[in-house]
Amino acid sequence: MKNPRKNLYYLHGAIQHTELLYTIRQSFILEAEKRKRKQIKIFDSFDQRLFQKNKLLCYEDNTWKLLDLTTFQYEQKSPDKPDKKFYWQFCDKNLCDYLKDILNTRALIEKAIISYTQTIYHIKNSDKKTVARLRHFELEISDLSLPDNIFLLEEVRGYQKSFDKLGLIITDLAINEFSENNKSLFTRLLGMDIEPYSNSFSVNLKPEMSAATAIREIMVFLTNIMRKNEEGISLDIDTEFLHDYRVAIRRVRTILSEMKSLIPNDQYEYFKTFFIKVLKISNVLRDLDVLLLKKDSYRDLLPLAVKDNSNFIFKTISKKRTVELKKVKNFLKSTEYEQYLWEWQDFINRLEGMQINNEPLSRYIDIVARQRIEKKINTLQKKKFKFKKDVSPQVLHELRIETKKLKYMLEAFRFLYPENTAMSIINNLKKIQDRFGLLHDLLVQQNLLDLYFNELDAKGKIAGKEAAAFGALINLLNQQYQSAHRKSINKFHKFIKSGDYARLNHAEMIEERL
Amino acid sequence: MSVFALYNIKGGVGKTSAAVNFAWLSAQQDKTLLIDLDPQSASSFYFRVRAAKKHSSKKLIKKTKSLDKFIRGTDFPGLDILPADLSYRNLDLELKKSKNSRSRLRRILNNFKEEYTVIIIDCPPNITLVSENIFQAADYLLIPTIPTYLSELTLIKLIDFFTEENISQKKIQPFFSMVEKRKKLHLQKIDELSEKYHFLINHIPYLSDIEKMGEERMPVCSQRPASPAAQAYKNLWEEINKRIKNKDN
């Protein structure tokens, strides 16, 4: 069924709302409900995942409401307490499931609080039957560039003609409708950022750019991502801030190492050491985050006899996490970190100027990047023939690093290739990385648990049942590791043998473009 | 989607008044559609709605997918109505002509399950093919019953019909309607029938405020929310929902 239409208008400039009401009264009967003063709180994740899907999550009248911004219909309503940060804290199952799909581990942040006075007008025909509704919102906002009088005209099912007539009345008064043309106004009104944060690689590179310019563009983008996530890490809003921060650093490291022949060696070594240090400092915190995110699923899989005692393990891990978070927070606010970052940003800004004395930096990025990617593909092609299912962990590790670098390079220089080819290979590489990521996590988690158990044991701070819970969890992780290991090797074997990535080689690319 | 039908073999027992008020009460929480199946169109009248000129019993039965264009919004947000048309007096004939003549209404209602959480049907009296469709389509039959001998007889007939046709009797939810406590017979019948037929505890008294609805063309629950009549509908609707929740659990 088609939803009744709803149009949103705003008053700006000389027109008064009384003028609109007066004009409507010339053709309809207008009955006003009592004015109500209200307050609405708007929530979204840091990267505005809901708003990007045209949804607005708000809290009003002790109820969580999910509004579809294309139809202005409430899709979900759930009376509940306001203290919700993550999807799993919502009592209403439908709302919880919906938010899970979109927010995942992202926390909800209060984006705006809007106080307003609402008057509902019932617009009636001569038979005193309601044929449309008009909601008038008088917003209490301090930003004078934003409209403070908003009208929502609602169609009543079966009275389309009246709605159309009212639409014309409003348009004739030169009242503006919120539309794609003035989306930024609406975006700002809801407390949302016009250009929301995104961790996906979106640098607009051009083939005719010099390597210096392209590298600078990429590094500026990635450094901005790092900086945007620092506050979220320090405030411990959710675990994605650290994740995105670290991914940005890994991307920086990959591009830096792949382009090292173009930059002065001493500078390369200097910044490489810095980025390794940042990753090392945050390694354990990230590992503990991943472990704690899986807390519920791990607990569910533990034997009944030790399930309750697993709380002790997760409490221990939470305490350890607090310590690790403090280390990272201290590092992020240290002068050393600021100094390094200042030098790094200065280096990036000087890159273009370096071209004069450094010929390789002035080469076209198109050629440089292709050469590097082709080299990566050739390395993988050579290793493909040596790859067997009983591959040694060392070779596997090297291959994993190579594929990871290829993925980061492809993401950065995707513009060089036909979109579909590049995306399909990036997606395949992502799947492989996810599998190996899982393997890595399971192994690291076992080691961490083993370490913490030994620490507690040495201090005599662990009882029999709690020790058993530790043992059961390590055993469970080991079982999952073994099973994931077999599957990952098979998947990787298939990927390497298929040589799918070789589609990116130069000749095929030219052919596809033609 | 929950489907409630206000039904009784007998006419003039307060079906429409109850349907209109329950629909209004339901719309305070959930998106609700009131379907007026009675050709007298009293529910439609209460909400100041007339059926579209092109609407007919034939369209109701055959054009199930495009019925939404005949639905009208009421004066109350969240409450829509599919108004009745005089041609509904031929609904039986139209049903007889159609395939799956006994489950046709259920199929029609399926079109609305995405849009509405609650559907309330104001049914015409008698046991006809229309009623049989209602028995199949409704999750609950709310039976307004005046505490008199004749009403008891019609209730027994309905229960017997359900037994014969092998329809779950759990659907039948009778409640006393138009109760005049000053009448000894009413009190005696309430006493007698309550437990025997599992009547809902709350009842609707015979009150002039309910009769005034025709003049005001509005549910009493909306027009006079503090009145005893509105309170009686509210209490009964809450009891119905509670009983359903208990059953579901």
Side-chain angles (χ1 to χ4, degrees), chain B residues 95-152:
Chain B
L95 280 167
K96 264 180 206 160
K97 284 185 221 163
S98 69
K99 281 183 192 170
N100 307 310
S101 62
R102 286 177 190 214
S103 57
R104 196 76 196 156
L105 187 61
R106 183 87 229 176
R107 283 176 155 212
I108 294 170
L109 299 191
N110 276 341
N111 293 319
F112 304 131
K113 67 181 172 195
E114 296 291 319
E115 184 73 16
Y116 300 100
T117 315
V118 175
I119 289 183
I120 291 175
I121 308 173
D122 184 19
C123 309
N126 287 326
I127 292 197
T128 58
L129 194 52
V130 177
S131 331
E132 284 186 61
N133 264 272
I134 291 162
F135 301 158
Q136 298 290 340
D139 299 311
Y140 299 96
L141 285 171
L142 305 175
I143 319 280
T145 310
I146 304 173
T148 59
Y149 289 106
L150 273 178
S151 291
E152 186 187 359

Side-chain angles (χ1 to χ4, degrees), chain A residues 1-4 73 122 124 127-130 133 135 156-159, chain B residues 31 47-50 68 71-77 80 112 115-116:
Chain A
M1 268 176 87
K2 214 172 148 191
N3 277 323
Q73 307 279 349
H122 296 268
K124 302 192 170 193
D127 203 17
K128 288 186 183 173
K129 166 74 183 70
T130 306
R133 278 182 204 94
R135 286 175 199 266
V156 168
R157 206 184 280 283
Y159 300 91
Chain B
K31 213 151 176 231
F47 285 114
R48 298 167 194 271
V49 170
R50 272 187 295 252
D68 56 318
I71 293 176
R72 297 282 179 264
T74 66
D75 287 348
F76 309 100
D80 292 345
F112 304 131
E115 184 73 16
Y116 300 100

Side-chain angles (χ1 to χ4, degrees), chain B residues 46-238:
Chain B
Y46 280 138
F47 285 114
R48 298 167 194 271
V49 170
R50 272 187 295 252
K53 280 176 190 161
K54 288 178 183 172
H55 188 45
S56 65
S57 55
K58 199 172 179 178
K59 292 248 168 74
L60 178 73
I61 303 303
K62 289 193 173 156
K63 303 274 179 193
T64 53
K65 295 241 163 95
S66 54
L67 271 180
D68 56 318
K69 64 180 176 204
F70 299 116
I71 293 176
R72 297 282 179 264
T74 66
D75 287 348
F76 309 100
L79 175 57
D80 292 345
I81 180 168
L82 179 59
D85 181 74
L86 195 61
S87 65
Y88 279 16
R89 67 192 188 281
N90 300 323
L91 213 51
D92 261 21
L93 298 173
E94 293 298 339
L95 280 167
K96 264 180 206 160
K97 284 185 221 163
S98 69
K99 281 183 192 170
N100 307 310
S101 62
R102 286 177 190 214
S103 57
R104 196 76 196 156
L105 187 61
R106 183 87 229 176
R107 283 176 155 212
I108 294 170
L109 299 191
N110 276 341
N111 293 319
F112 304 131
K113 67 181 172 195
E114 296 291 319
E115 184 73 16
Y116 300 100
T117 315
V118 175
I119 289 183
I120 291 175
I121 308 173
D122 184 19
C123 309
N126 287 326
I127 292 197
T128 58
L129 194 52
V130 177
S131 331
E132 284 186 61
N133 264 272
I134 291 162
F135 301 158
Q136 298 290 340
D139 299 311
Y140 299 96
L141 285 171
L142 305 175
I143 319 280
T145 310
I146 304 173
T148 59
Y149 289 106
L150 273 178
S151 291
E152 186 187 359
L153 263 176
T154 54
L155 183 62
I156 293 168
K157 274 192 180 160
L158 181 68
I159 292 169
D160 289 347
F161 184 84
F162 268 55
T163 316
E164 277 168 32
E165 295 296 318
N166 208 14
I167 307 170
S168 168
Q169 285 184 28
K170 284 179 186 168
K171 284 188 178 188
I172 300 175
Q173 301 288 331
F175 65 90
F176 291 112
S177 174
M178 301 169 79
V179 175
E180 292 179 81
K181 287 215 164 166
R182 60 194 165 81
K183 287 186 177 169
K184 264 188 184 175
L185 175 71
H186 278 202
L187 294 176
Q188 187 193 323
K189 275 288 157 195
I190 288 174
D191 227 27
E192 214 176 284
L193 305 178
S194 289
E195 267 192 48
K196 197 173 173 187
Y197 300 109
H198 305 288
F199 268 73
L200 287 147
I201 296 162
N202 288 284
H203 65 261
I204 306 300
Y206 186 83
L207 291 167
S208 59
D209 277 348
I210 298 172
E211 288 190 329
K212 277 185 197 157
M213 273 171 48
E215 192 187 324
E216 288 159 349
R217 297 181 76 176
M218 270 204 186
V220 68
C221 290
S222 149
Q223 185 71 356
R224 299 159 200 274
S227 67
Q231 207 51 48
Y233 283 118
K234 192 168 177 271
N235 292 343
L236 184 55
W237 182 242
E238 277 170 10

Side-chain angles (χ1 to χ4, degrees), chain A residues 25-160:
Chain A
R25 277 202 180 96
Q26 305 304 306
S27 313
F28 296 91
I29 300 165
L30 216 54
E31 268 180 24
E33 277 188 21
K34 203 178 163 192
R35 289 174 90 214
K36 277 182 192 164
R37 203 164 176 279
K38 292 183 143 200
Q39 191 183 66
I40 190 165
K41 289 183 178 178
I42 296 166
F43 292 83
D44 207 331
S45 62
F46 175 64
D47 47 1
Q48 296 178 187
R49 293 185 184 190
L50 291 162
F51 188 66
Q52 292 198 56
K53 295 219 174 268
N54 279 316
K55 307 287 171 191
L56 200 69
L57 181 71
C58 23
Y59 191 75
E60 188 182 35
D61 302 330
N62 299 319
T63 303
W64 285 97
K65 299 173 182 177
L66 187 72
L67 180 74
D68 184 296
L69 290 171
T70 53
T71 59
F72 295 106
Q73 307 279 349
Y74 283 113
E75 289 188 341
Q76 314 228 16
K77 282 186 186 177
S78 159
D80 204 343
K81 287 179 183 166
D83 55 343
K84 312 290 172 203
K85 191 176 168 191
F86 295 102
Y87 77 84
W88 57 82
Q89 294 168 332
F90 285 81
C91 299
D92 185 287
K93 199 184 170 298
N94 290 337
L95 185 58
C96 174
D97 288 347
Y98 182 83
L99 295 177
K100 182 184 179 181
D101 287 344
I102 294 181
L103 296 175
N104 208 308
T105 51
R106 271 289 186 201
L108 287 167
I109 299 169
E110 192 179 276
K111 303 292 277 188
I113 303 178
I114 305 174
S115 297
Y116 63 96
T117 307
Q118 180 187 235
T119 316
I120 302 174
Y121 294 95
H122 296 268
I123 302 173
K124 302 192 170 193
N125 61 13
S126 54
D127 203 17
K128 288 186 183 173
K129 166 74 183 70
T130 306
V131 290
R133 278 182 204 94
L134 187 73
R135 286 175 199 266
H136 178 205
F137 305 99
E138 292 162 273
L139 311 182
E140 294 166 25
I141 43 172
S142 50
D143 188 343
L144 294 174
S145 67
L146 292 172
D148 55 2
N149 267 280
I150 290 183
F151 289 95
L152 183 67
L153 179 67
E154 299 176 351
E155 183 184 34
V156 168
R157 206 184 280 283
Y159 300 91
Q160 294 85 342

Side-chain angles (χ1 to χ4, degrees), chain A residues 226-234 245 332 337-338 341:
Chain A
M226 280 172 64
R227 304 242 73 173
K228 280 181 185 169
N229 280 290
E230 285 166 3
E231 195 187 2
I233 299 170
S234 295
Y245 176 81
L332 290 180
Y337 178 72
E338 273 307 319
L341 267 185

Side-chain angles (χ1 to χ4, degrees), chain A residues 350-399:
Chain A
R350 282 189 293 107
L351 263 174
E352 280 181 293
M354 287 182 201
Q355 290 179 76
I356 305 161
N357 302 320
N358 190 351
E359 186 276 325
L361 272 176
S362 61
R363 291 178 195 159
Y364 287 126
I365 189 61
D366 187 355
I367 297 164
V368 176
R370 266 184 213 160
Q371 282 171 350
R372 298 306 306 164
I373 291 172
E374 275 175 33
K375 202 172 170 192
K376 282 262 139 318
I377 292 168
N378 291 340
T379 315
L380 278 176
Q381 283 286 74
K382 277 180 202 161
K383 293 196 175 178
K384 159 181 157 178
F385 300 106
K386 293 179 192 164
F387 189 87
K388 293 188 177 91
K389 280 192 179 177
D390 55 350
V391 60
S392 74
Q394 183 56 33
V395 174
L396 196 63
H397 178 69
E398 284 167 15
L399 272 168

